[in-house]
């Protein structure tokens, strides 16, 4: 059975188990499903374990085989340009939907206060974490690692990517034996990582079952009622961005049939949905790009790790709608200037969000502050936390698909897409 079918079966079985536990009121079953979650976490740890060796080796092999530095600059420029363009497009779509649907105008003050109270302590913890986030200047400086080994040890992917790209570029300038030796070594590391991924992926259907069952069992269905319009607005936005904007770009810029593209990337999408993490999905994203989409390693190995860290179309769209929603609930007017500010700050917030679960809700604070909602941070986040998990899972799909469409575009533009 194909991997995506296996994962889908695990996912559906997990949803069924979680819904049964929730609706039947069987507290024992709920507790059992939630208790199984560590099994799923073990799986995520296993797959995340490969990310550092995989990112380092695939970037070094990819970048060094690009040849001249001009080509590296061209490919990097295309990728960054595409990432920025699609991020802004996602935010504009999110804003348009929020203005059209006005999800925040449907919540009365009593519901608002009840929700805010229910999640107050969790929201306080999230905003605490956000306030520890460094300033923009430090973030930019932080891209240059003082010590690449420490960056790897701390799982700081952006500095690690920076080091790997410049190191790979230097390897590309070597000649003869020394170049071959280095490339062969890192190729071997990347091949061994692929073998490991294959082993771990055999566990995917079971892990997906456990992870989804626990999420659904814990999910409060009563919450969904009051936040339904908001959640559906985000989901519709994500679907439109993926199946209209990105599909169009796949057709126009990569000359691929979008339906075929989405079919080939089905396993990646299911996996992103379950893990809520672009980083944990990265090993599968890389493998899918090379094996199923025919994108050469030299391009995928560079464009995809970068995308997993900085490109988050889904997160950007979600942040635009979430800020508008919170503003509407508290009756804060959002004029054109404020919405333009959202375009800029949500772009930065999405770039700054790490590819891990719930990262987007933390950097949302940057956007809230930029439009004068700084005083509403904790209560605003408390309001939307109840449905955030499902939105996180869904926006992660769009984040990862955005990266893959970029890799396909870059490969096609270089005349190297072999499907
Ligand atoms: N979970 C998302 C990701 O890993 C980030 C977010 O929270 O929006 O792509």
């Amino acid at each position: 059975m194909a991997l995506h079918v296996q994962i889908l079966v695990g996912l559906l079985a997990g949803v069924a188990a979680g819904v049964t536990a929730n609706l039947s009121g069987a507290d024992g079953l709920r507790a059992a499903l939630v208790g199984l979650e560590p099994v799923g976490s073990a799986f995520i740890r296993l797959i995340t374990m490969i990310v550092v060796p995989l990112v380092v080796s695939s970037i070094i092999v990819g970048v060094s085989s690009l040849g001249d530095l001009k080509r590296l600059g061209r490919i990097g420029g295309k990728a960054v340009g595409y990432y920025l363009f699609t991020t802004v497009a996602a935010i504009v779509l999110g804003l348009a939907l929020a203005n059209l649907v006005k999800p925040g105008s449907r919540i009365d003050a009593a519901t608002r206060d009840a929700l805010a109270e229910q999640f107050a302590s969790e929201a306080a913890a999230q905003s605490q974490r956000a306030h520890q986030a460094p300033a923009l200047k430090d973030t930019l400086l932080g891209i240059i690692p003082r010590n690449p080994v420490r960056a790897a040890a701390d799982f700081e992917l952006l500095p690690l990517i920076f080091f790997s790209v410049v190191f790979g570029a230097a390897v590309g300038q070597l000649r003869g034996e020394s170049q071959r030796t280095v490339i062969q070594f890192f190729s071997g590391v990347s091949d061994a990582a692929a073998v490991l991924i294959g082993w771990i992926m055999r566990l995917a259907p079971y892990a997906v079952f456990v992870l989804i069952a626990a999420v659904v069992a814990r999910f409060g269905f009563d919450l969904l009622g009051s936040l339904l319009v908001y959640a559906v607005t985000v989901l519709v936005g994500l679907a439109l961005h993926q199946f209209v904007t990105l599909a169009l770009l796949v057709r126009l810029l990569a000359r691929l049939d979008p339906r075929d593209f989405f079919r080939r990337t089905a396993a990646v999408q299911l996996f992103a949905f379950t893990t809520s993490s672009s980083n944990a999905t990265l090993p599968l994203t890389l493998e899918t790009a090379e094996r199923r989409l025919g994108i050469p390693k030299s391009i995928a190995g560079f464009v995809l790790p970068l995308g997993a860290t900085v490109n988050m179309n889904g997160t950007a769209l979600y942040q635009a709608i979430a800020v508008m929603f919170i503003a509407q609930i508290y009756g804060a007017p959002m004029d054109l200037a404020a919405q333009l500010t959202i375009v800029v700050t949500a772009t930065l917030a999405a770039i700054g969000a790490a590819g891990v679960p719930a990262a987007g809700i933390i950097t949302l604070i940057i956007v809230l502050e930029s439009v004068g909602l700084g005083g509403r941070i904790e209560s605003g986040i408390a309001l939307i936390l109840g449905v955030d998990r499902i939105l996180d899972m869904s926006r992660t799909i769009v984040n990862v698909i955005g990266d893959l469409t970029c890799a396909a575009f870059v490969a096609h533009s270089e005349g190297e897409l072999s499907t």
Side-chain angles (χ1 to χ4, degrees), residues 43-56 142-143 145 147-162 276-283 305 308-309 312 352-357 359:
F43 172 78
I44 303 233
R45 288 180 81 112
L46 275 174
I47 199 90
T48 312
M49 173 180 91
I50 313 175
V51 167
V52 166
L54 187 65
V55 163
V56 173
I143 294 177
N147 176 350
V149 179
R150 158 141 329 145
D154 293 343
F155 210 77
E156 289 183 356
L157 288 185
L158 211 48
L160 194 63
I161 289 174
F162 179 84
S276 267
S277 168
S278 303
N279 289 353
T281 312
L282 183 59
T309 321
M312 311 237 167
V356 298

